[in-house]
Amino acid sequence: MSVPLWCLFIAALLLVFTKVPVAIAQGRSGKGYDNAHPRAQQAALTGWGARALASHQNMIEGFPLFAAGVLVVLVTGTGGSLANVLCLLFIACRIAYSVLYLMNLATLRSLAWIVGFVCCLGLLLIPALG
């Protein structure tokens, strides 16, 4: 499997892994994890739990653009080292983004988001370069 496909798989796993801190925050919210109404419980989270939820939601929001970029380079056959680097950098940025969000480091978090977003745009533009 190619680097972009492995990164797509890892990005999909990050959708689940970023839910773990949210579930922990929900479990610590006083009444335990409310599986009957998890979204209502999530909406009431504050502090670290609210940041964990925002990080998870942003992971969900960012996944389609990355997936589209990976598919563009695969369908057009324009992958290669640039695509590999952009995909790996995207994954690193998304992991950093989540950690920085949990640590409440907003400026660094935003920088990680910007670099990850630029990686996605780069993947979409690779066919235009070749």
Side-chain angles (χ1 to χ4, degrees):
M1 199 154 71
S2 66
V3 170
L5 284 177
W6 275 113
C7 288
L8 185 59
F9 177 73
I10 293 167
L13 289 179
L14 287 174
L15 296 171
V16 176
F17 290 150
T18 57
K19 176 65 164 95
V20 171
V22 179
I24 291 169
Q26 287 177 259
R28 293 179 179 168
S29 68
K31 298 179 183 178
Y33 187 92
D34 183 358
N35 199 40
H37 304 287
R39 292 186 185 216
Q41 187 182 32
Q42 290 170 3
L45 292 173
T46 60
W48 183 85
R51 291 192 308 274
L53 177 60
S55 173
H56 173 62
Q57 290 171 334
N58 190 270
M59 191 69 70
I60 294 168
E61 295 163 359
F63 181 79
L65 184 61
F66 177 66
V70 168
L71 293 176
V72 163
V73 297
L74 292 176
V75 167
T76 60
T78 54
S81 60
L82 179 57
N84 293 348
V85 168
L86 291 174
C87 288
L88 291 168
L89 185 56
F90 174 83
I91 295 299
C93 285
R94 294 311 302 186
I95 292 169
Y97 177 88
S98 293
V99 170
L100 293 166
Y101 217 139
L102 293 175
M103 294 174 63
N104 202 22
L105 298 171
T107 303
L108 290 174
R109 177 195 83 219
S110 294
L111 180 61
W113 183 90
I114 290 167
V115 173
F117 182 72
V118 169
C119 289
C120 293
L121 295 179
L123 289 169
L124 293 169
L125 289 173
I126 285 175
L129 302 174

